[in-house]
């Protein structure tokens, strides 16, 4: 109970803070391939912030929610791109939690400078994790944590190390809790979640397949 109290106090402190913490990565140093992904996100953010009437960039590229998959060999800069995207979204919105970064374990979360999916979305572990998530309910604490992510999106690192069961939990938790639970019945909340970017290397490591992971 003591640990839960500490977690609650830290979450309350973060919620009350207006500070926006930016990563040290400089998007202007991205190479051409990395910049392609960054530009897609900038296009999305421009439409979100300015609206169609005031959008000045390429009207022949219509606005739509983005689900991006970044693939590359080790050292290709996938985590760098995720951090650059997070920095740009936070700068444009002036909201720390408009860009939330998740990983399947502590090492991946540390590399991406985010948190684990279990912690971010309050995903259960052990036997509760192995059961079906049918009937899972919205969580007020998670909804508060995601209160501004509908102004930006989620960034997930090491998607190739994320097992199918965890992917299902992530999609379901976001669907139930994004935009205060007003998302559609589609996985990841449909149009209520503008952006979901996942990065990984499926040739680097075999994807976990155990239901218990």
């Amino acid at each position: 109970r003591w640990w839960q109290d500490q977690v609650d106090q830290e979450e309350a402190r973060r919620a009350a803070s207006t500070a926006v913490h930016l990563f040290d990565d400089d998007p202007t140093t991205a190479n051409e391939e990395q910049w392609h992904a960054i530009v897609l996100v900038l296009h999305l953010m421009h439409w979100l912030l300015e609206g169609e009437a005031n959008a000045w960039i390429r009207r022949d590229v219509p606005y739509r929610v983005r689900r991006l998959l970044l693939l590359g060999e080790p050292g290709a800069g996938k985590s760098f791109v995720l951090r650059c995207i997070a920095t740009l979204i936070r700068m444009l919105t002036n909201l720390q939690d408009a860009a939330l970064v998740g990983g399947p374990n502590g090492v991946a979360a540390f590399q991406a400078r985010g948190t684990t999916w279990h912690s971010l979305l309050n995903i259960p572990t052990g036997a509760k994790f192995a059961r079906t998530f049918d009937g899972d309910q919205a969580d007020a604490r998670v909804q508060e944590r995601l209160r501004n992510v509908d102004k930006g999106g989620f960034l997930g690192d090491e998607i190739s190390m994320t097992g199918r069961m965890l992917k299902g939990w992530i999609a379901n938790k976001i669907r139930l809790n994004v935009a205060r639970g007003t998302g559609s019945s589609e996985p990841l909340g449909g149009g209520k979640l503008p952006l979901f970017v996942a990065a990984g290397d499926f040739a680097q490591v075999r994807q976990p397949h155990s239901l218990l992971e």
Side-chain angles (χ1 to χ4, degrees):
R1 179 60 194 175
W2 173 83
W3 175 246
Q4 187 60 57
D5 289 341
Q6 299 303 307
V7 171
D8 291 344
Q9 290 174 19
E10 175 63 15
E11 288 188 352
R13 184 192 67 78
R14 290 184 180 183
S17 174
T18 58
V20 176
H21 304 287
L22 304 178
F23 299 132
D24 296 331
D25 304 273
D26 183 358
T28 64
T29 65
N31 61 36
E32 185 176 357
E33 290 184 345
Q34 294 166 346
W35 191 244
H36 286 165
I38 295 172
V39 166
L40 277 175
V41 175
L42 284 176
H43 180 273
L44 170 75
M45 294 304 300
H46 181 73
W47 278 84
L48 281 176
L49 295 173
E50 299 295 336
E52 183 176 1
N54 298 319
W56 56 268
I57 55 175
R58 296 199 59 178
R59 293 179 180 274
D60 58 320
V61 181
Y63 166 79
R64 63 175 180 269
V65 296
R66 297 288 182 183
R67 304 293 183 255
L68 305 182
L69 180 61
L70 305 179
L71 300 177
E73 298 177 349
K78 300 181 295 295
S79 298
F80 164 77
V81 172
L82 290 183
R83 293 193 298 268
C84 286
I85 291 173
T87 291
L88 290 170
I89 290 175
R90 290 167 181 171
M91 288 177 62
L92 290 168
T93 61
N94 199 32
L95 293 169
Q96 176 73 13
D97 51 1
L100 297 177
V101 184
N105 52 47
V107 174
F110 178 80
Q111 175 69 18
R113 301 181 196 173
T115 187
T116 64
W117 289 116
H118 285 84
S119 176
L120 182 60
L121 299 175
N122 200 23
I123 295 173
T125 58
K128 290 184 178 180
F129 176 79
R131 67 171 171 75
T132 176
F133 44 74
D134 288 342
D136 189 35
Q137 301 295 315
D139 186 324
R141 289 178 56 190
V142 175
Q143 288 185 0
E144 177 62 19
R145 200 172 296 149
L146 308 187
R147 65 189 182 279
N148 287 317
V149 78
D150 58 338
K151 301 175 179 65
F154 283 97
L155 311 171
D157 207 0
E158 299 295 357
I159 195 66
S160 49
M161 296 174 60
T162 306
R164 61 184 181 183
M165 196 68 173
L166 180 52
K167 287 187 179 79
W169 273 105
I170 293 168
N172 187 64
K173 284 290 187 180
I174 294 175
R175 178 183 66 82
L176 289 173
N177 295 291
V178 72
R180 298 289 184 182
T182 62
S184 73
S185 59
E186 299 176 33
L188 301 176
K192 291 293 185 177
L193 182 67
L195 179 69
F196 190 97
V197 183
D201 177 10
F202 288 97
Q204 181 181 5
V205 64
R206 185 177 181 182
Q207 186 182 28
H209 61 276
S210 168
L211 291 178
L212 294 178
E213 294 191 63

